[in-house]
């Protein structure tokens, strides 16, 4: 059974710091992995999607890596800003053809302090 | 701008009452989903629909019902059979064959 874990549950850093959020999964047979951002009381916004054949994806100050063999993905945020404060969730897709097979982590709540 | 609109933002349910959450999208997406989010738990899939007039149960469909009469709309009814309905409900969509999920802003349902 696939399980997705995000550690730490909460993180507080000063503005400008580079930081890494972690996502671990127990079954390496994944189709893809997505990182999302959720602001308090709001919906989720997709940040990056990494296919199983890829090693990393980049968007602006964000870089997500995937290591299937170790069951781990990291989301790197460069030069963090107070506007980056949010909860970051990762989700693993188990198979092709059906988006419902997403297994979600509980998220890491990030606070970037001015 | 295209997107997903959920309404209302806050909803209160009385004992024994059915309530309906609205989800409308103008992204021309074929697939739509309903998720439930509870503190300390990952998102859980309630129902999903890949095409008009067709939908399938997710992992926690008991006590919920949906319809998909139009491509743009996928309302969720929380029935009186759902004994623990307090949660944040999220609607999402994807284009046909797509993998990127687009979410609405959510509805917080509470019990009076």
């Amino acid at each position: 059974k696939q399980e997705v874990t995000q550690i730490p549950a909460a993180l507080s850093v000063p503005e400008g710091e580079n930081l890494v959020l972690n996502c671990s999964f127990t079954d390496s047979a994944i189709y893809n992995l997505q990182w999302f951002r959720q602001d308090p009381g709001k919906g989720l916004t997709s940040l990056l999607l990494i296919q199983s054949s890829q090693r990393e994806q980049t968007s602006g100050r964000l870089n997500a890596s995937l290591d299937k063999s170790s069951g781990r993905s990291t989301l790197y945020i460069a030069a963090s800003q107070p506007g980056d404060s949010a909860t970051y969730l990762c989700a693993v897709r188990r198979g092709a053809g059906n988006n419902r097979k997403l297994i979600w982590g509980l998220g890491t709540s990030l606070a970037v302090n001015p | 701008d295209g997107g997903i609109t959920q309404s209302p933002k806050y909803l209160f349910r009385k004992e024994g009452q059915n309530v309906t959450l609205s989800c409308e999208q103008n992204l021309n997406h074929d697939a739509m989903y309903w998720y439930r989010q509870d503190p300390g738990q990952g998102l859980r899939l309630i129902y999903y629909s890949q095409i008009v007039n067709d939908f399938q149960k997710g992992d926690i469909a008991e006590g919920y019902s949906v319809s998909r009469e139009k491509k743009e709309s996928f309302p969720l009814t929380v029935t009186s059979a759902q004994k623990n309905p307090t949660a944040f409900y999220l609607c999402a969509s994807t284009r046909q064959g797509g993998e990127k999920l687009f979410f609405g802003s959510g509805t917080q349902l509470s019990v009076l």
Side-chain angles (χ1 to χ4, degrees):
Chain A
K1 178 185 173 184
Q2 178 73 274
E3 294 182 358
V4 178
T5 304
Q6 293 185 249
I7 295 174
L11 183 63
S12 181
V13 300
E15 181 178 3
E17 189 164 299
N18 301 325
L19 58 99
V20 174
L21 305 181
N22 296 298
C23 174
S24 300
F25 46 94
T26 54
D27 185 347
S28 62
I30 66 170
Y31 189 73
N32 61 38
L33 183 146
Q34 296 187 60
W35 282 94
F36 294 85
R37 168 186 172 139
Q38 185 176 28
D39 292 290
K42 298 291 179 64
L44 281 69
T45 300
S46 178
L47 297 174
L48 291 164
L49 184 152
I50 310 178
Q51 301 292 352
S52 62
S53 59
Q54 297 175 320
R55 296 283 295 182
E56 64 178 334
Q57 283 286 330
T58 298
S59 177
R61 294 183 294 109
L62 305 180
N63 176 279
S65 68
L66 175 64
D67 184 345
K68 287 197 305 177
S69 62
S70 65
R72 187 180 178 203
S73 176
T74 61
L75 179 65
Y76 174 82
I77 303 177
S80 59
Q81 303 170 357
D84 295 328
S85 299
T87 297
Y88 291 82
L89 297 99
C90 68
V92 168
R93 184 172 166 188
R94 297 182 292 182
N98 194 337
N99 257 321
R100 75 182 179 93
K101 297 178 181 175
L102 284 174
I103 309 300
W104 294 83
L106 298 184
T108 293
S109 177
L110 173 66
V112 181
N113 305 306
Chain B
D1 288 338
I4 300 177
T5 301
Q6 289 188 242
S7 63
K9 185 170 178 62
Y10 300 98
L11 186 59
F12 297 91
R13 193 190 89 167
K14 296 179 181 178
E15 193 75 28
Q17 184 182 41
N18 293 350
V19 293
T20 297
L21 285 62
S22 171
C23 178
E24 303 277 335
Q25 55 97 359
N26 60 5
L27 299 167
N28 199 33
H29 283 176
D30 292 288
M32 298 187 73
Y33 310 82
W34 275 106
Y35 286 95
R36 170 176 171 147
Q37 187 175 37
D38 295 273
Q41 296 195 44
L43 270 71
R44 291 182 290 170
L45 182 67
I46 305 172
Y47 269 98
Y48 67 102
S49 169
Q50 303 277 43
I51 195 169
V52 174
N53 292 324
D54 187 48
F55 48 83
Q56 284 79 41
K57 294 181 179 179
D59 299 318
I60 55 164
E62 185 174 352
Y64 301 96
S65 66
V66 294
S67 62
R68 187 84 187 277
E69 298 177 359
K70 299 187 299 181
K71 186 177 184 178
E72 302 79 17
S73 179
F74 192 40
L76 174 73
T77 296
V78 183
T79 74
S80 57
Q82 173 50 249
K83 298 306 180 186
N84 185 23
T86 297
F88 191 56
Y89 291 85
L90 289 159
C91 179
S93 70
T94 59
R95 61 176 176 80
Q96 182 74 345
E99 296 167 24
K100 183 177 179 181
L101 276 167
F102 291 79
F103 281 86
S105 57
T107 293
Q108 176 64 51
L109 175 62
S110 302
V111 176
L112 288 175

